Amino acid sequence: MVNGLYFDGQTAKSYECTLFVTDEYLYINFAEPEKNIIWARSRIKHFELNGNYLIIKYGDFPQQTIECHDKASVEIFEKLSENNFAKKSKSIWLKNTTTIAITLCVAFVVVCFASYFIVLPWVGEKSVALIPPSAEIELGNSINESILQTSTKEDSATYFANLFVSKLKTGCAYSIHITVIKSDEINAFALPGGKIFVYSKIIKKIKTYEEFTALIGHEISHVSDQHSLKTICRSMASSLFIACLFGDVTGIMSGIAQQANEFKQLSYSRDLETKADNDGFEMMLQNKISPEGMIDLLKLLQTESKEMPDFMKYISSHPETEARIKNIQSRKEMTIAFNENPELKLIFERMKSSLN
């Protein structure tokens, strides 16, 4: 039973009453039994709940009204709402206000996190599409000059490295240029637009021209698929969002250019690294160079990683090396045998000799 006030619509006088609802009727009971009233639910014109305040209007002119301020008035509202979807939804909301509010707060937080960690990085990566090839090449040249200002270039090794690449079918739309820089670190990285840096230490460690081809093929894949540019843009997603929204290519380029040093130690996703391995593998096949070189290169990196700090070394940019080795070993083309390429072998040996 719910306590309420009854108004007959003819006077301003109110009558205290109690309410009881069944499937067809609303029973209104007064202190005096002869005044009890029964309302057919089908003739109830309107009912509304606001907090614990329930108002029910019945019939035509003069319209009768019941007001309830009882905490139990929600029960009456729920019963009257059974065949009314909109009212029932409100009833559920009122009955579970705290639970729903907490759920909505959690959902809001999840959406915010998803936007920041998923949507924005995706937008950042897609912003690469706004950059024309000419601007990408100019960006690579600018970063190249910045890196050379703090590095020592190995001129002879650079000459032979580029001579080596000129003998390969790369399938790359960009003009590839390699710079060998003097360093005791084992590293190699690609810039946007076709610039590739190879550290002298890794060339000294590599034993065959097949391994060197695998290294170059891997980095060329990063160039062709714009992996470095996309990775940087993903990491700068929040700052690039507005520039992307307004198609501000200058703003995008300026932001990326400020990240020049980041290109030296980019950490690509496993999918991108596997893609670069597979593309490098395909380039070796197209040039009739034994794909064993890719396995040898990955094993070299795996061995050298044990002696390297986890930061800023080549292996830190190429995680899960064991999985990558297994990926290449599973390729059916591994059984193909190719004759040695004496020209590439000679160029490679001269490049190594120039570093001694």
Side-chain angles (χ1 to χ4, degrees):
M1 302 289 283
V2 179
N3 297 319
L5 293 175
Y6 169 80
F7 299 85
D8 61 12
Q10 300 180 43
T11 67
K13 186 176 180 179
S14 62
Y15 302 88
E16 293 184 358
C17 63
T18 57
L19 309 176
F20 177 74
V21 182
T22 65
D23 292 339
E24 297 183 2
Y25 300 102
L26 172 62
Y27 294 88
I28 307 166
N29 301 317
F30 300 93
E32 300 179 28
E34 63 271 15
K35 288 188 177 182
N36 291 346
I37 299 174
I38 300 175
W39 284 357
R41 287 180 55 176
S42 59
R43 293 195 61 200
I44 292 177
K45 298 296 184 180
H46 175 76
F47 60 96
E48 190 67 44
L49 182 68
N50 186 6
N52 291 326
Y53 174 66
L54 173 66
I55 184 169
I56 308 172
K57 295 184 180 295
Y58 180 82
D60 299 318
F61 184 84
Q63 196 171 63
Q64 302 170 65
T65 304
I66 291 177
E67 296 180 1
C68 298
H69 299 271
D70 197 308
K71 292 182 179 180
S73 59
V74 175
E75 298 176 9
I76 299 294
F77 183 79
E78 288 179 348
K79 190 67 177 178
L80 295 176
S81 301
E82 285 179 350
N83 296 318
N84 186 312
F85 178 77
K87 299 290 187 181
K88 189 173 184 179
S89 298
K90 183 173 182 179
S91 173
I92 294 172
W93 164 261
L94 291 169
K95 191 174 182 180
N96 302 279
T97 301
T98 302
T99 301
I100 294 174
I102 292 174
T103 301
L104 289 176
C105 288
V106 171
F108 177 75
V109 172
V110 170
V111 169
C112 289
F113 269 89
S115 298
Y116 188 82
F117 291 105
I118 298 176
V119 178
L120 278 181
W122 180 84
V123 171
E125 182 175 322
K126 294 304 177 183
S127 68
V128 172
L130 296 175
I131 303 175
S134 58
E136 183 182 356
I137 293 171
E138 183 178 346
L139 172 65
N141 291 339
S142 175
I143 298 173
N144 178 78
E145 292 302 318
S146 175
I147 292 173
L148 286 177
Q149 289 177 9
T150 57
S151 305
T152 301
K153 178 181 176 182
E154 297 279 9
D155 292 321
S156 295
T158 294
Y159 168 78
F160 286 116
N162 285 289
L163 180 61
F164 189 98
V165 172
S166 70
K167 305 298 181 181
L168 299 175
K169 298 175 183 177
T170 65
C172 184
Y174 299 91
S175 177
I176 300 299
H177 183 272
I178 297 177
T179 300
V180 179
I181 54 179
K182 186 175 182 178
S183 176
D184 288 331
E185 299 170 9
I186 293 182
N187 201 0
F189 58 91
L191 300 179
K195 302 293 186 183
I196 296 174
F197 279 86
V198 180
Y199 286 25
S200 59
K201 181 68 174 289
I202 194 171
I203 295 178
K204 292 178 181 179
K205 289 287 184 178
I206 289 174
K207 294 182 174 62
T208 67
Y209 76 92
E210 289 93 344
E211 286 181 70
F212 186 67
T213 305
L215 173 66
I216 296 305
H218 180 96
E219 297 302 331
I220 287 176
S221 175
H222 285 320
V223 171
S224 296
D225 294 330
Q226 300 177 298
H227 289 170
S228 60
L229 199 56
K230 290 177 180 178
T231 301
I232 286 290
C233 285
R234 283 182 67 87
S235 67
M236 297 173 57
S238 56
S239 58
L240 290 179
F241 176 71
I242 299 301
C244 180
L245 188 64
F246 293 99
D248 182 9
V249 176
T250 302
I252 295 174
M253 300 297 287
S254 175
I256 296 171
Q258 294 175 13
Q259 307 296 316
N261 288 327
E262 296 298 319
F263 286 90
K264 295 181 181 180
Q265 45 190 338
L266 279 180
S267 180
Y268 296 120
S269 69
R270 178 176 178 177
D271 288 342
L272 293 186
E273 290 294 7
T274 300
K275 176 69 164 57
D277 287 343
N278 289 333
D279 288 349
F281 185 90
E282 291 294 335
M283 194 192 81
M284 297 179 78
L285 295 179
Q286 291 172 12
N287 286 276
K288 295 182 170 49
I289 297 174
S290 173
E292 282 289 344
M294 182 66 76
I295 300 294
D296 293 338
L297 174 67
L298 293 174
K299 286 182 176 180
L300 168 65
L301 298 177
Q302 189 177 48
T303 300
E304 292 299 319
S305 67
K306 297 174 183 177
E307 301 176 3
M308 291 188 288
D310 289 336
F311 59 94
M312 73 186 294
K313 299 297 185 179
Y314 181 83
I315 193 65
S316 69
S317 301
H318 299 68
E320 304 181 35
T321 309
E322 185 63 40
R324 294 168 60 202
I325 291 173
K326 291 179 180 178
N327 168 61
I328 296 299
Q329 288 175 330
S330 68
R331 298 286 297 266
K332 62 182 180 180
E333 296 93 342
M334 282 299 300
T335 59
I336 301 176
F338 293 107
N339 293 326
E340 186 178 81
N341 186 317
E343 184 178 23
L344 289 178
K345 182 180 179 181
L346 179 60
I347 296 173
F348 172 73
E349 290 174 349
R350 288 183 175 177
M351 178 178 63
K352 279 182 67 74
S353 297
S354 70
L355 296 174
N356 293 332

